[in-house]
Amino acid sequence: MANAVSQTLTAPGFWFERIRYTSSRDTIVFSADYQATTHPAPALRRIRIEVRALVSGLPTPEMFRAFEWVDGDGYISAGAALRRGEPCSFSISTHDERIDWTVRPVTLLTLASSDPFDGCPREKRHSLAGYLTLLPLAP
């Protein structure tokens, strides 16, 4: 019975993260962005869009590497790795920062109710409105 309950509360998914570092050699995080999704395509599409937006400001070798990943075999290989249950990543360095994108398979914990605020006092609902309805569980 416990196994049947856990199967209904979890779902396979993918965890996307983008981390921007203050320099190409530094480990100080400038910004980070995270997203959970139930399919790898939205995460890979997001990486492709973000890389395309940055490509004109990249040094020439990084620009060619970025185009190869975005329009060549890079994102296709990444999608194949995710379907095999393996993580994928891509990094670029600009003149003054480094950006790392990572997508990895995870098990997502779904909310038990279709109403994400079910059981939550009405005065607390507004402060919780921005939270994810899918939460990644540790592997």
Side-chain angles (χ1 to χ4, degrees), residues 35-47:
Q35 179 182 356
T37 179
T38 56
H39 195 272
L44 294 174
R45 184 177 319 113
R46 185 169 171 186
I47 294 171

Side-chain angles (χ1 to χ4, degrees), residues 59-71:
T60 303
E62 286 291 285
M63 182 175 35
F64 286 123
R65 206 170 65 77
F67 275 129
E68 184 179 321
W69 195 90
V70 168
D71 294 327

Side-chain angles (χ1 to χ4, degrees), residues 8 14 18-19 27 30 47 56-57 67 81 90-92:
T8 60
F14 300 88
R18 181 196 68 228
I19 301 176
T27 59
F30 176 70
I47 294 171
S56 65
F67 275 129
F90 182 68
S91 298
I92 57 172

Side-chain angles (χ1 to χ4, degrees), residues 63-135:
M63 182 175 35
F64 286 123
R65 206 170 65 77
F67 275 129
E68 184 179 321
W69 195 90
V70 168
D71 294 327
D73 291 337
Y75 83 95
I76 295 169
S77 298
L82 290 168
R83 285 188 293 281
R84 289 190 306 268
E86 301 169 3
C88 68
S89 63
F90 182 68
S91 298
I92 57 172
S93 294
T94 67
H95 297 288
D96 57 354
E97 69 181 350
R98 185 180 88 233
I99 306 168
D100 295 339
W101 290 269
T102 305
V103 182
R104 65 177 174 265
V106 294
T107 299
L108 300 170
L109 176 62
T110 60
L111 294 175
S113 171
S114 61
D115 178 5
F117 301 112
D118 190 28
C120 181
R122 189 168 294 287
E123 63 273 8
K124 297 284 187 186
R125 291 180 181 213
H126 179 70
S127 64
L128 296 173
Y131 285 82
L132 294 172
T133 58
L134 298 172
L135 302 173

